[in-house]
């Protein structure tokens, strides 16, 4: 049963558990067929009330900060594969405590923190595996904000900054060069990596291919992905790890909102909602992209009521246009944004003090469970 929108309060993010399970099934079947490990990237999806479901299919998680690493331990019940562009000393103890793998963004960071990890290993009596992030300088992502291989990128070590022999203690390499990409982009990225970094691959045990593998998007060639991964794994004899975020939560739920007012200026009608693009759907402005609205025409249609949709913050640019609707909008109408689970909750703010949408899960046979409502205290406590 799809989400019964009329049972949902506004504003509210609603995860559809059945759709999440479909993605998880596909991800698990890729991992099993290709003989690789696929772990969830919290930067894209960290709605931990859904982790019990995620854990039925996938066990690992990747973290990019001490808080994400702790979330992996406490809510995913696993030690994290952790990578951060730059670790700081005061948080490093927590990073060690909650990580099984630590990947460094530079040789200087590796040299600086290696002794601290060794100390931790002795005290804790367990090994932490070190990796280095490489930058293959292979760009397929058009938007520079999301392109880890943009010229001059600070993310990962370029081949001309690496020695021919990896430093002692490095057991893995990590790259992240893709974003909402297909398996052919991955295949090309791997060919480039073999060309530039092939001499290093026999020196390691594991190879982390980062995120950006959008295997749950319609039309993704999953069979080709499995072939590419299997061939690479067999050729190099490595343990392969993938850490997508978007692919887990792709198209698994909605943001339900309401029309609060309709204003008109110079012939442009704007429906102002009880949600904000900048605070609650920031990728729409950052990527940028125009989200799908359920039941609306995605592009304006002549002679149909057409609106710009505006957010409830004071930011002038907190709007996107234009959609056409079958009938004129009025105050109180429900507006449902599709595919609003990944990179939303993890990036929201309380800018302007605008109320944060609630978070809910829709479960087949059980209906709606609101797992979190936000209050004035959530806003106040962030500020001092
Ligand atoms: C290092 C790293 N791993 C994994 C991911 C997840 O990528 P995606 O959500 O596009 O799959 C990202 C996203 O920025 C990343 O930077």
């Amino acid at each position: 049963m799809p989400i019964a929108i009329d049972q949902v309060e506004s504003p509210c993010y609603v995860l559809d558990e059945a759709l999440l399970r479909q993605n998880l099934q596909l991800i698990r079947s890729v991992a099993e067929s290709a003989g690789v490990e696929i772990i969830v990237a919290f930067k894209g999806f960290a709605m931990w009330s859904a982790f019990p479901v995620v854990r039925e299919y996938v066990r690992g998680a990747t973290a990019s900060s001490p808080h994400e690493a702790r979330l992996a331990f406490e809510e995913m019940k696993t030690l994290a594969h952790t990578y951060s562009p730059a670790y700081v000393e005061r948080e490093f103890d927590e990073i060690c405590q909650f990580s099984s793998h630590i990947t460094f963004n530079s040789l200087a960071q590796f040299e600086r923190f290696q002794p601290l990890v060794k100390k931790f290993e002795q005290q804790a009596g367990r090994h932490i595996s070190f990796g280095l992030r490489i930058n293959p300088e292979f760009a397929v992502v058009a938007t520079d904000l999301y392109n880890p291989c943009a010229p001059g990128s600070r993310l990962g070590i370029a081949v001309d900054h690496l020695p021919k022999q990896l430093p002692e203690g490095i057991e893995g390499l990590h790259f992240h060069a893709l974003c909402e990409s297909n398996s052919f982009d991955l295949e090309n990225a791997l060919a480039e990596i073999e060309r530039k970094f092939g001499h290093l691959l026999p020196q390691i045990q594991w190879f982390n291919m980062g995120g950006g593998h959008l295997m749950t998007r319609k039309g993704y060639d999953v069979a080709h992905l499995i072939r590419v991964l299997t061939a690479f794994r067999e050729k190099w004899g490595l343990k392969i790890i993938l850490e997508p975020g978007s692919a887990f939560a792709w198209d698994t739920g909605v943001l339900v909102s309401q029309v609060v007012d309709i204003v008109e200026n110079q012939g442009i009608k704007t429906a102002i909602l009880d949600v904000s693009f900048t605070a609650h759907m920031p990728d729409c402005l950052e990527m940028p992209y125009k989200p799908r609205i359920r039941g609306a025409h995605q592009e304006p249609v002549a002679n149909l009521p057409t609106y710009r949709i505006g957010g409830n913050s004071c930011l002038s640019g907190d709007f996107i246009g234009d959609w056409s609707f079958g009938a004129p909008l009025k105050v109180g109408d429900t507006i449902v944004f599709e595919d609003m689970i990944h990179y939303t909750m993890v990036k929201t703010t309380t800018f302007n003090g605008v109320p944060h949408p609630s978070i809910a899960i829709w479960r087949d046979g059980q209906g709606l469970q609101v797992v979190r409502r936000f209050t004035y205290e959530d806003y106040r406590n962030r500020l001092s």
Side-chain angles (χ1 to χ4, degrees):
M1 280 278 289
I3 301 166
I5 297 296
D6 58 351
Q7 293 175 23
V8 180
E9 64 197 42
S10 177
C12 188
Y13 298 103
V14 191
L15 172 78
D16 185 327
E17 187 190 294
L19 296 178
L20 178 65
R21 281 186 188 278
Q22 273 177 26
N23 284 357
L24 290 166
Q25 259 155 18
L26 185 139
I27 288 168
R28 181 173 64 187
S29 81
V30 169
E32 286 172 358
S33 308
V36 303
E37 187 176 0
I38 304 183
I39 62 182
V40 55
F42 285 172
K43 66 198 88 199
F45 177 64
M47 183 182 161
W48 52 268
S49 51
F51 286 179
V53 175
V54 176
R55 279 207 310 275
E56 289 179 35
Y57 302 81
V58 163
R59 297 195 33 216
T62 180
S64 38
S65 62
H67 288 173
E68 283 188 354
R70 181 171 167 185
L71 194 73
F73 185 74
E74 293 187 352
E75 302 297 337
M76 267 296 278
K77 316 292 181 205
T78 185
L79 291 171
H81 291 238
T82 304
Y83 157 78
S84 160
Y87 298 105
V88 295
E89 220 156 303
R90 65 175 176 278
E91 58 190 35
F92 206 71
D93 224 27
E94 236 184 331
I95 295 278
C96 290
Q97 208 183 324
F98 300 125
S99 303
S100 58
H101 295 65
I102 299 180
T103 295
F104 296 93
N105 190 55
S106 72
L107 288 166
Q109 281 251 309
F110 167 64
E111 279 153 21
R112 183 164 158 220
F113 286 103
Q114 188 193 27
L116 298 186
V117 184
K118 291 279 159 245
K119 222 164 92 191
F120 174 86
E121 285 182 329
Q122 272 166 11
Q123 281 163 6
R126 73 174 169 86
H127 176 61
I128 297 180
S129 190
F130 293 141
L132 289 177
R133 175 164 173 175
I134 54 172
N135 185 329
E137 297 175 278
F138 171 83
V140 283
V141 184
T143 311
D144 269 355
L145 186 64
Y146 290 102
N147 179 11
C149 296
S153 168
R154 72 190 188 294
L155 304 171
I157 311 167
V159 67
D160 49 343
H161 290 269
L162 268 180
K164 292 269 170 292
Q165 183 68 37
L166 289 172
E168 204 186 317
I170 293 296
E171 296 177 349
L173 290 177
H174 174 292
F175 85 94
H176 171 73
L178 305 176
C179 178
E180 299 189 3
S181 302
N182 61 36
S183 57
F184 299 91
D185 291 330
L186 172 65
E187 188 172 37
N188 293 334
L190 291 177
E192 186 73 356
I193 286 165
E194 286 182 329
R195 202 173 65 73
K196 289 183 177 148
F197 298 90
H199 58 288
L200 301 178
L201 297 177
Q203 302 176 32
I204 55 171
Q205 295 158 31
W206 54 265
F207 188 58
N208 185 323
M209 299 185 181
H213 316 279
L214 199 42
M215 59 190 85
T216 48
R217 173 155 60 187
K218 274 196 192 73
Y220 188 102
D221 192 338
V222 175
H224 179 250
L225 173 68
I226 293 169
R227 285 200 300 279
V228 169
L229 292 173
T230 307
F232 193 89
R233 176 177 58 74
E234 288 176 349
K235 178 170 176 185
W236 295 103
L238 292 169
K239 176 174 169 51
I240 305 293
I241 303 150
L242 272 67
E243 48 174 40
S246 292
F248 278 86
W250 189 259
D251 235 343
T252 56
V254 296
L255 174 58
V256 175
S257 66
Q258 257 183 14
V259 177
V260 176
D261 196 12
I262 293 169
V263 296
E264 187 165 352
N265 186 7
Q266 297 189 359
I268 294 173
K269 281 198 177 106
T270 302
I272 303 182
L273 307 183
D274 57 357
V275 289
S276 154
F277 290 103
T278 188
H280 309 138
M281 302 170 267
D283 267 358
C284 295
L285 299 177
E286 290 178 6
M287 195 69 172
Y289 78 97
K290 186 179 183 186
R292 281 176 288 132
I293 291 179
R294 189 168 294 181
H297 298 272
Q298 189 69 5
E299 297 306 326
V301 177
N303 303 322
L304 280 183
T306 296
Y307 301 85
R308 185 182 267 190
I309 301 291
N312 58 349
S313 83
C314 299
L315 178 74
S316 314
D318 191 358
F319 71 85
I320 296 180
D322 296 292
W323 289 262
S324 292
F325 294 81
L329 289 181
K330 49 189 192 320
V331 170
D333 280 354
T334 297
I335 299 288
V336 179
F337 292 96
E338 303 283 5
D339 193 17
M340 280 297 163
I341 301 299
H342 57 98
Y343 289 103
T344 50
M345 286 163 255
V346 289
K347 290 183 96 173
T348 54
T349 69
T350 54
F351 177 54
N352 275 194
V354 291
H356 192 290
S358 303
I359 297 176
I361 304 181
W362 175 263
R363 298 184 202 275
D364 257 359
Q366 292 174 43
L368 192 77
Q369 180 197 3
V370 178
V371 290
R372 182 86 152 93
R373 286 194 179 91
F374 294 84
T375 62
Y376 163 69
E377 282 71 27
D378 293 304
Y379 163 69
R380 190 198 57 185
N381 291 348
R382 281 189 63 244
L383 292 172
S384 325

